């Protein structure tokens, strides 16, 4: 009877390529029902239980069923289900190449004679879409740039070429002159323009190319609805999703497209050599705007050398629609492809895979992308993604809240401010007499703001000084501290500036690109001088982008975020540092935009609990009965896991690995003795997680000096997680090869010889997330201490205070502490003072950060039903009596499948050692009988 019922349930999801376990069927049914019902659901399935495959087979089965349901309605002469009828999304095409957009422009010229500046102005009228957008105001920081000829290209009029100097054509300065503006009321600004024409997003474009004419109707293809957006954190996780998708029949039945960043997709070697994401984005967008051959320019590709390069008339990888159609045809024949595969197709056809993949979004049934690209409103608009009545599935959602909030942070450094202010001064000095009153006023306002920002982070001589940002002349000694938005504006006497109008002016006037262009010309005219703004922090345009981000952040509600001020400090090499940073504290309003449009949102992950924190921070308005939460157990039998609390070391010393005690020689030595004993009893691989690189380095050097490291290497080779992410793959490869080689030979021949390896890893590092230590790679996972984040992190403490809901009377607003690598005891103490003031949610949030990191790390070991591993939680606090602690018991936040089997209070290390010996003896015997 049970077998028939199981077969019946399996028929519900016929695409599942294997015989599913009962928990997988339960998970798929829960997901399917959530999609049917709509709204927000949280689904938890432990790592190693086939969660990705379950998501694919359930969600795509729902999609197929929904489409079939729609076809049935049509056959019966009925209208489509109202849930599937949506209006065409406007989408933003401002940063798309020519073959991805259609437009028409008329031009008018106005020559000025008698030796005066000669400018041919592109003039036009705004579309209804643009007028509506201007009435609503600039909703995102990105709008300011994508509406104004994104990517660093300066709007050029038809100017007269004067002469050649050093092989570089020079044009009259009129091309850099901003057109007249007048105030358009409190809600924005109004550009004085005459005549007809078309302006798109404030940047007038030339549509004279023949390619534009042949691409009419590019976006006229019918959009596939409903659509599923699958998001995860990293490209590697998305690639894994594609591999699982290929195992199912849906790979051949549905249209699938993968999206990613320009840096991951770009195949233009010249652009890729720029290195940083910011420079690649700017250069890509700049090439799109270069419609005509220009004079050669001096371009500074890095900080050490200068090369002469002809400015391209466009990226050679962006061609006609015909090439783009070939790309789409090739992709449709090969089925679901990840980013690496798409790049290979792009190289083969000589066409851009970034824009090629974007062009396929409209007709795709399934869109796979990093969740930053979907959750950021600016990115959604740029990619043309419509959420209306569609489905969003966010995998690895355990860090969703903080990741979402961090997308809206903004930062500008002192060197960027100095560069911007210098460019503005030179520009204003040159064009003062040519600018209209509106332009003069706004440019002067920008100069006032940059000067004020520089003043706020300027180095002050002496250890103590009167802080201009503190009322009453309060004496401050800290270099880094936070301040509320309104307090920041009032203290710098810039509260009377209408930032909304200023941002509208920047958006519509194209002033930033004019100023950057003029500054670049000045720099190029001096052949022995490096281009200004080409530092490690990117171009001058990058600095202006950062400024606009900060200005936009200052228009948020006072309580939505905080301004972090880091003073410029004097070091042995001169003045260094100094920055302003806006830290967003709430994601509620950001996430509500996604919720209001989508039919259903699924938050999936291996460990999502405690769900209360996510609910309070992202969707507090949701009633308890409106949130569907499902959690399933693990597929492994109880005998395959041994989680044990290790509160004492081999010598009987209690493990106190708190911040104040963990670096003592006693604790480091006791930890070393523990590892020596584990190396003797645990076969194959041991992964040891430390809280930070600094602490791991300190422990390693102490073990090396005391001889403990030499004792370990007699039994197992030692590997360490590298700081560079690019080196991680090589270390993991050597670690696995060592285990495979030594474990298979020495254990059978001579058990006393080296029989495996130890990997020293870092919580929150590359290895702790996304790396699978299946089978011999992770027979034992050791968690050293409780990896609480440092209380000296000023941004973290601001989030703790916000979540706790403390007002200025609960936590003194004069609390200021340094957030740098070298932390003094006083700084740590200030953070602990804040935590002690927290009574409930703030403290829970701080503890949750720690336990989420623990759960992610220890979940790396069990990867399939026959896998087995021991998990050691090394710290007396794991075994502490919750009645004696102000914090809730940390073990309550372990995953249920671990918590149910946890040996929480062994008498001593001898008891732990016996448990380990019996555990591995049982599995050796089990393997030998198979």
């Amino acid at each position: 009877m049970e077998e028939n019922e199981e077969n019946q349930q399996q028929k519900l999801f016929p695409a599942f390529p294997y015989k599913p376990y009962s928990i997988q069927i339960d998970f798929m049914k829960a997901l399917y029902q959530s999609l049917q019902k709509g709204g927000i659901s949280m689904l938890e399935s432990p790592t190693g239980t086939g969660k990705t495959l379950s998501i694919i087979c359930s969600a795509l089965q729902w999609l197929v069923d929904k489409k079939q349901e729609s076809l049935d309605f049509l056959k019966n002469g009925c209208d489509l289900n109202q849930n599937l009828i949506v209006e065409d999304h406007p989408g933003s095409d401002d940063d798309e190449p020519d073959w991805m957009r259609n437009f028409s422009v008329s031009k008018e010229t106005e020559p000025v004679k008698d030796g005066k500046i000669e400018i041919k102005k592109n003039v036009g009228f705004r579309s209804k879409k643009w007028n509506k957008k201007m009435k609503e105001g600039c909703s995102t920081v990105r709008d300011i740039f994508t509406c104004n000829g994104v990517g660093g290209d300066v709007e050029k009029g038809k100017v007269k070429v004067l002469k050649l100097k050093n092989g570089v054509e020079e044009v009259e300065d009129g091309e850099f002159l901003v057109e007249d503006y007048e105030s358009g009321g409190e809600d924005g600004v109004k550009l004085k323009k005459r005549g007809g024409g078309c302006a798109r997003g404030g940047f007038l474009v030339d549509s004279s190319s023949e390619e534009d004419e042949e691409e009419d109707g590019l976006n006229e293809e019918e959009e596939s609805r409903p659509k599923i957006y699958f998001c995860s954190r990293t490209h590697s996780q998305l690639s894994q999703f594609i591999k699982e998708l290929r195992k199912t029949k849906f790979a051949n039945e549905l249209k699938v497209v993968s999206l990613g960043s320009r840096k991951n997709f770009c195949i233009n070697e010249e652009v890729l050599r720029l290195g940083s994401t910011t420079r690649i984005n700017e250069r890509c967008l700049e090439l799109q705007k270069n419609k005509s051959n220009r004079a050669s320019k001096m371009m500074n590709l890095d900080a050490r050398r200068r090369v002469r390069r002809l400015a391209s008339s466009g990226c050679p990888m962006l061609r006609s629609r015909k090439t783009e159609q070939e790309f789409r045809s090739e992709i449709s024949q090969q089925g679901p492809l990840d980013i690496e595969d798409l790049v290979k197709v792009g190289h083969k056809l000589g066409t851009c895979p970034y824009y090629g993949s974007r062009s396929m979004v409209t007709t795709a049934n399934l869109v796979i992308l990093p969740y930053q690209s979907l959750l950021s409103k600016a990115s959604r608009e740029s990619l043309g993604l419509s959420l209306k009545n569609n489905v969003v599935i966010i995998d690895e959602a355990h860090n969703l809240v903080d990741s979402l909030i961090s997308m809206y942070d903004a930062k500008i450094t002192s060197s960027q401010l100095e560069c911007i202010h210098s460019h503005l001064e030179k520009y204003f000095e040159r064009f003062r007499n040519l600018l209209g009153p509106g332009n003069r006023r706004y440019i002067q306002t920008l100069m006032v703001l940059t000067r004020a920002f520089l003043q706020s982070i300027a180095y002050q001589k002496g250890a103590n000084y009167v802080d201009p940002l503190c009322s009453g002349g309060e004496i401050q000694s800290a270099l880094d501290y936070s301040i509320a938005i309104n307090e920041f504006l009032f203290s710098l006497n810039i509260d009377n500036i209408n930032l909304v109008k200023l941002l509208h002016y920047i958006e519509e006037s194209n002033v930033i690109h004019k100023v950057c262009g003029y500054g670049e010309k000045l720099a190029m005219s001096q052949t022995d001088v490096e281009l200004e703004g080409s530092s490690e922090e990117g171009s001058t345009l990058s600095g202006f982008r950062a400024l606009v981000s900060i200005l936009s952040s200052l228009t948020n509600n006072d309580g939505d975020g905080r301004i972090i001020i880091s003073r410029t400090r004097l070091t042995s090499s001169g003045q260094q540092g100094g920055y302003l940073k806006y830290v967003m504290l709430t994601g509620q309003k950001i996430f509500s935009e996604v919720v209001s449009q989508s039919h259903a949102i699924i938050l999936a992950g291996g460990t999502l609990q405690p769900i209360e924190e996510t609910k309070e921070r992202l969707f507090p308005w949701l009633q308890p009965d409106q949130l569907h939460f499902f959690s399933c157990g693990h597929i492994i039998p109880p005998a395959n896991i041994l989680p044990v609390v290790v509160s004492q070391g081999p010598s009987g010393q209690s493990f106190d690995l708190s911040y104040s005690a963990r670096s003592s020689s006693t604790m480091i030595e006791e930890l070393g003795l523990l590892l020596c004993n584990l190396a003797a009893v645990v076969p194959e691989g041991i992964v040891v997680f430390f809280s930070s690189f600094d602490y791991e380095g300190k422990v390693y050097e102490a073990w090396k000096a005391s001889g403990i490291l030499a004792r370990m290497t007699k039994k197992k080779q030692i590997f360490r997680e590298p700081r560079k992410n690019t080196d991680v793959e090589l270390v993991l490869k050597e670690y696995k090869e060592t285990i495979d080689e030594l474990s298979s030979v020495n254990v059978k021949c001579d058990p006393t010889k080296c029989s495996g390896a130890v990997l020293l890893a870092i919580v929150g590092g590359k290895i702790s997330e996304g790396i699978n230590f299946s089978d011999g790679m992770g027979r034992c996972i050791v968690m050293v201490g409780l990896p609480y984040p440092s209380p000296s992190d000023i941004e973290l403490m601001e989030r703790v205070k916000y979540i706790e809901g403390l007002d200025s009377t609960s936590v003194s607003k004069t609390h200021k502490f340094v957030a740098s690598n070298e932390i003094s005891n006083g700084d740590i103490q200030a953070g602990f003072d804040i935590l002690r003031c927290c009574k409930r949610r703030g403290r829970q949030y701080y503890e949750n950060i720690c336990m989420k990191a623990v759960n992610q790390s220890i979940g790396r070991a069990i990867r399939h039903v026959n896998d087995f591993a021991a998990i050691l939680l090394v710290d007396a606090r794991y075994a502490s009596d919750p009645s004696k602690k102000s914090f809730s018991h940390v073990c309550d936040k372990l995953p249920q499948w671990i918590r149910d089997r946890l040996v929480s209070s062994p008498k001593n290390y001898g008891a732990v050692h016996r448990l380990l010996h019996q555990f591995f003896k049982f599995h050796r015997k089990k393997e030998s009988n198979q």
Side-chain angles (χ1 to χ4, degrees):
M1 180 69 71
E2 291 182 1
E3 185 175 348
N4 290 334
E5 184 179 349
E6 184 176 319
N7 290 335
Q8 190 68 28
Q9 290 180 337
Q10 186 174 351
K11 290 180 181 179
L12 296 173
F13 306 103
F16 204 89
Y18 317 109
K19 182 179 179 180
Y21 298 105
S22 59
I23 64 168
Q24 292 172 331
I25 293 176
D26 292 341
F27 182 89
M28 288 188 286
K29 288 173 66 178
L31 176 54
Y32 192 99
Q33 292 168 2
S34 297
L35 295 178
Q36 281 287 80
K37 182 180 179 181
I40 303 175
S41 300
M42 301 179 70
L43 280 69
E44 184 180 68
S45 181
T47 303
T49 57
K51 171 171 56 69
T52 300
L53 198 55
S54 298
I55 291 174
I56 291 170
C57 294
S58 179
L60 298 188
Q61 186 63 53
W62 175 86
L63 184 66
V64 170
D65 293 347
K66 205 70 176 173
K67 286 183 173 292
Q68 185 60 49
E69 181 182 315
S70 300
L71 290 174
D72 291 342
F73 273 119
L74 286 175
K75 288 179 182 178
N76 295 328
C78 300
D79 291 334
L80 286 174
N81 186 301
Q82 287 301 314
N83 286 336
L84 302 181
I85 299 178
V86 298
E87 297 177 358
D88 289 336
H89 63 83
S92 173
D93 60 359
D94 295 329
D95 65 344
E96 294 173 350
D98 294 334
W99 48 261
M100 290 186 69
R101 60 174 173 251
N102 305 300
F103 52 83
S104 61
V105 175
S106 62
K107 293 176 286 183
E108 177 180 324
T109 60
E110 290 184 352
V112 181
K113 300 180 179 180
D114 300 328
K116 296 183 180 179
I117 295 174
E118 181 183 347
I119 308 172
K120 260 190 179 179
K121 296 181 180 179
N122 287 324
V123 293
F125 55 87
R126 305 296 180 193
S127 65
K128 292 181 179 179
K129 174 182 169 183
W130 171 256
N131 291 331
K132 179 180 179 182
K133 183 175 181 181
M134 289 307 296
K135 289 179 181 178
E136 293 173 349
C138 181
S139 58
T140 65
V141 175
R142 176 201 164 269
D143 294 339
I144 291 169
F145 293 95
T146 57
C147 292
N148 292 286
V150 235
D153 185 23
V154 181
E155 180 186 352
K156 309 287 186 181
K158 302 295 184 179
V159 294
K160 180 181 177 181
V161 177
L162 292 181
K163 58 182 179 179
L164 286 173
K165 180 180 180 181
N166 297 324
V168 179
E169 279 187 353
E170 291 190 347
V171 294
E172 292 180 322
D173 291 344
E175 61 176 331
F176 305 116
L177 182 61
V178 182
E179 295 186 35
D180 288 344
Y181 271 77
E182 64 181 9
S183 294
E186 290 303 311
D187 294 329
V189 290
K190 184 178 180 181
L191 176 61
K192 288 183 179 178
K193 285 183 178 290
R194 299 186 302 276
C198 176
R200 185 180 65 257
F203 184 80
L204 290 161
V205 291
D206 181 2
S207 63
S208 59
S209 72
E210 296 178 359
E211 289 181 1
D212 296 331
E213 298 175 2
E214 70 178 9
E215 286 148 20
D216 291 336
L218 174 63
N219 295 319
E220 292 177 1
E221 300 178 52
E222 183 180 353
E223 178 159 4
S224 174
R225 297 188 176 96
K227 195 189 303 288
I228 292 180
Y229 295 101
F230 178 86
C231 315
S232 195
R233 292 185 64 230
T234 65
H235 290 299
S236 62
Q237 291 165 344
L238 296 175
S239 295
Q240 181 62 33
F241 181 87
I242 293 288
K243 291 177 183 177
E244 296 295 308
L245 176 60
R246 289 172 183 160
K247 298 177 182 178
T248 72
K249 67 175 184 178
F250 297 123
N252 299 319
E253 293 182 358
L254 298 174
K255 295 181 180 179
V256 182
V257 63
S258 297
L259 301 180
S261 64
R262 284 182 172 86
K263 186 172 184 179
N264 288 101
F265 267 126
C266 184
I267 59 174
N268 187 328
E269 296 298 329
E270 175 194 335
V271 176
L272 279 176
R273 280 197 296 267
L274 297 176
S276 72
T277 300
T278 300
R279 292 187 181 185
I280 288 174
N281 288 342
E282 289 178 1
R283 183 57 181 157
C284 172
L285 295 167
E286 177 185 355
L287 287 172
Q288 295 171 36
K289 303 300 177 182
N290 290 334
K291 296 294 296 177
S292 58
N293 291 325
R294 295 209 184 131
S296 62
K297 295 182 179 181
M298 297 300 298
M299 303 297 293
N300 184 15
L301 295 184
D302 56 51
R304 296 176 301 279
R305 64 191 182 92
R306 293 163 57 87
V307 300
R308 187 181 304 277
R309 181 179 67 205
L310 284 175
S312 173
S313 60
C315 179
M317 305 305 167
L318 293 176
R319 300 182 179 179
S320 67
R321 186 186 177 196
K322 181 180 178 181
T323 310
E324 177 257 336
Q325 288 176 329
E326 292 176 359
F327 180 87
R328 297 172 71 170
S329 176
E330 181 86 11
I331 298 304
S332 62
Q333 294 175 12
Q334 297 190 31
L337 300 178
D338 60 18
I339 289 176
E340 288 73 19
D341 296 327
L342 291 170
V343 168
K344 290 178 182 177
V345 175
H347 276 296
K348 175 183 174 182
L349 299 177
T351 189
C352 176
Y354 174 76
Y355 284 108
S357 60
R358 279 179 50 167
S359 70
M360 300 174 66
V361 169
T362 304
T363 57
N365 307 116
L366 173 64
V367 181
I368 303 167
L369 69 168
Y371 60 56
Q372 294 90 336
S373 299
L374 182 125
L375 296 174
S376 166
K377 183 178 181 180
S379 295
R380 286 200 306 274
E381 292 178 348
S382 173
L383 296 170
L385 305 181
S386 172
L387 300 183
K388 191 170 184 181
N389 289 342
N390 288 328
V391 171
V392 175
I393 299 177
I394 301 174
D395 196 14
E396 301 296 329
H398 55 280
N399 289 326
L400 173 63
V401 183
D402 289 331
S403 297
L404 174 64
I405 291 173
S406 65
M407 294 178 201
Y408 291 83
D409 289 350
K411 179 180 178 181
I412 189 167
T413 65
S414 57
S415 58
Q416 287 176 317
L417 284 168
E418 289 169 357
C419 179
I420 292 169
H421 191 71
S422 174
H423 274 65
L424 288 170
E425 281 188 325
K426 292 175 182 176
Y427 184 88
F428 190 72
E429 180 182 355
R430 170 64 182 86
F431 295 104
R432 178 198 299 266
N433 296 329
L434 300 174
L435 294 170
N439 281 315
R440 281 202 302 270
R441 181 170 63 255
Y442 282 117
I443 293 174
Q444 285 177 314
T445 300
L446 285 171
M447 293 167 63
V448 168
L449 287 170
T450 54
R451 191 182 303 116
F453 292 163
L454 280 168
Q455 176 192 359
S456 70
I457 59 178
Y459 170 74
Q460 302 287 337
K461 188 175 182 179
N464 294 308
Y465 52 87
V466 176
D467 196 325
L469 293 173
C470 294
S471 57
E474 186 176 351
I475 299 298
Q476 301 297 331
S477 59
L479 292 174
D480 297 7
Y481 55 93
S482 69
I483 189 170
I485 295 176
N486 288 344
E487 186 180 356
F488 176 74
L489 296 174
F490 281 116
S491 300
L492 291 179
N493 198 28
I494 55 176
D495 57 291
N496 58 336
I497 295 176
N498 189 325
L499 295 178
V500 174
K501 287 184 66 176
L502 179 62
L503 287 167
H504 279 215
Y505 167 76
I506 295 172
E507 177 180 4
E508 192 171 342
S509 68
N510 204 28
V511 64
I512 284 175
H513 297 89
K514 301 287 189 180
V515 173
C516 289
Y518 180 69
E520 182 180 296
K521 180 196 173 185
L522 289 181
M524 288 190 297
S525 65
Q526 305 176 29
T527 56
D528 295 329
V529 179
E530 295 286 346
L531 282 177
E532 291 189 61
S534 297
S535 66
E536 295 180 358
E537 295 171 351
S539 66
T540 305
L541 182 61
S542 299
F544 272 108
R545 288 178 185 268
L547 176 64
V548 171
S549 295
I550 286 289
L551 295 177
S552 180
S553 298
L554 293 175
T555 64
N556 288 323
N557 293 334
D558 189 51
D560 287 351
R562 299 278 290 185
I563 299 293
I564 307 296
I565 299 173
S566 177
R567 297 281 188 186
T568 303
R569 56 208 69 194
L570 189 62
T571 65
S572 57
S573 58
Q575 291 188 14
Q576 291 184 357
Y579 62 83
L580 291 176
K581 183 174 183 179
Y582 175 80
V583 179
M584 180 70 80
L585 298 177
T586 175
Q588 176 181 339
K589 288 185 292 186
I590 303 168
F591 198 67
S592 65
E593 296 177 359
V594 179
V595 174
S596 63
Q597 298 178 50
S598 306
H599 163 68
I601 296 177
I602 306 295
L603 306 184
T607 306
L608 296 180
Q609 299 187 49
I611 64 171
E612 292 77 15
E613 177 201 330
T614 302
K615 180 179 179 298
E616 289 180 355
R617 298 182 67 193
L618 283 187
F619 32 88
W621 66 85
L622 210 63
Q623 298 299 316
D625 59 343
Q626 294 178 311
L627 176 62
H628 177 217
F629 177 74
F630 172 83
S631 180
C632 64
H634 212 294
I635 58 176
I636 62 169
N640 283 27
I641 182 175
L642 178 64
V644 184
V645 171
V646 184
S647 56
Q648 294 182 16
S651 66
Q653 183 71 41
S654 177
F655 277 118
D656 179 6
L657 294 170
S658 60
Y659 182 85
S660 58
R662 68 184 184 185
S663 297
S664 68
S665 58
T666 303
M667 284 298 100
I668 292 177
E669 182 180 359
E670 196 71 17
L671 192 60
L673 294 176
L674 171 65
L675 264 293
C676 288
N677 279 271
L678 294 179
V681 71
V682 177
E684 302 176 291
I686 301 175
V687 183
V688 185
F689 283 102
F690 292 86
S691 58
S692 67
F693 278 107
D694 290 340
Y695 182 54
E696 183 271 342
K698 186 179 296 184
V699 170
Y700 183 85
E701 292 302 322
W703 285 349
K704 187 176 181 180
S706 65
I708 290 178
L709 198 63
R711 288 177 56 186
M712 283 190 217
T713 54
K714 291 180 181 180
K715 292 297 295 181
K716 295 187 184 293
Q717 288 193 25
I718 309 297
F719 293 86
R720 304 172 68 188
E721 178 173 351
R723 288 181 180 264
K724 289 185 178 180
N725 289 340
T726 53
D727 297 334
V728 169
E729 188 174 341
L730 178 61
V731 171
L732 287 174
K733 181 182 178 183
E734 294 178 355
Y735 171 70
K736 185 179 187 305
E737 290 175 348
T738 300
I739 291 172
D740 292 342
E741 180 182 352
L742 296 179
S743 299
S744 60
V745 176
N746 293 342
V747 172
K748 296 179 181 178
C749 301
D750 186 356
T752 62
K753 289 187 177 180
C754 186
S755 61
V758 175
L759 175 60
L760 307 181
I762 310 301
V763 173
K766 182 77 171 179
I767 287 175
S768 69
E769 291 200 34
I771 304 298
N772 299 331
F773 292 102
S774 60
D775 301 319
M777 288 184 70
R779 288 300 180 213
C780 182
I781 304 293
V782 181
M783 175 57 61
V784 178
L786 283 159
Y788 286 107
S790 173
S792 65
D793 186 336
I794 190 169
E795 295 179 29
L796 171 63
M797 289 300 105
E798 288 298 335
R799 290 196 169 97
V800 167
K801 289 192 294 181
Y802 179 84
I803 292 168
E804 178 69 17
L806 297 174
D807 56 22
S808 58
T809 60
S810 300
V811 175
S812 173
K813 60 184 178 181
T814 61
H815 265 309
K816 310 207 170 35
F817 44 94
V818 178
S820 62
N821 292 329
E822 298 180 1
I823 305 298
S824 66
N825 291 330
D827 304 320
I828 293 290
Q829 190 59 46
F832 281 123
D833 288 344
I834 291 175
L835 291 172
R836 275 192 288 271
C837 291
C838 298
K839 304 299 181 184
R840 190 171 65 91
R841 289 190 297 180
R843 183 171 294 193
Q844 288 292 327
Y845 167 66
Y846 183 70
E847 187 174 277
N848 290 341
I849 295 175
C850 168
M851 292 310 297
K852 283 180 181 179
V854 169
N855 294 338
Q856 282 297 307
S857 299
I858 64 180
R860 300 296 97 203
I862 304 297
R863 308 305 303 177
H864 56 83
V865 66
N866 295 318
D867 208 355
F868 63 93
I871 297 173
L872 305 186
L873 305 174
V874 183
D875 198 310
R877 290 173 291 178
Y878 285 110
S880 60
D881 185 350
S883 64
K884 298 179 180 179
K885 298 289 290 183
S886 54
F887 281 96
S888 61
H889 200 284
V890 292
C891 289
D892 291 340
K893 294 176 180 176
L894 291 169
Q896 187 72 38
W897 61 279
I898 292 179
R899 191 165 70 244
D900 290 345
R901 307 167 195 183
L902 180 66
V903 182
S904 59
S905 46
K907 293 182 180 180
N908 48 42
Y909 175 74
V912 174
H913 198 85
R914 284 191 295 273
L915 287 171
L916 290 170
H917 178 74
Q918 294 168 1
F919 178 76
F920 291 112
K921 181 180 179 180
F922 169 80
H923 285 286
R924 277 197 302 268
K925 184 177 180 179
K926 183 178 177 181
E927 287 181 331
S928 63
N929 292 334
Q930 290 178 348

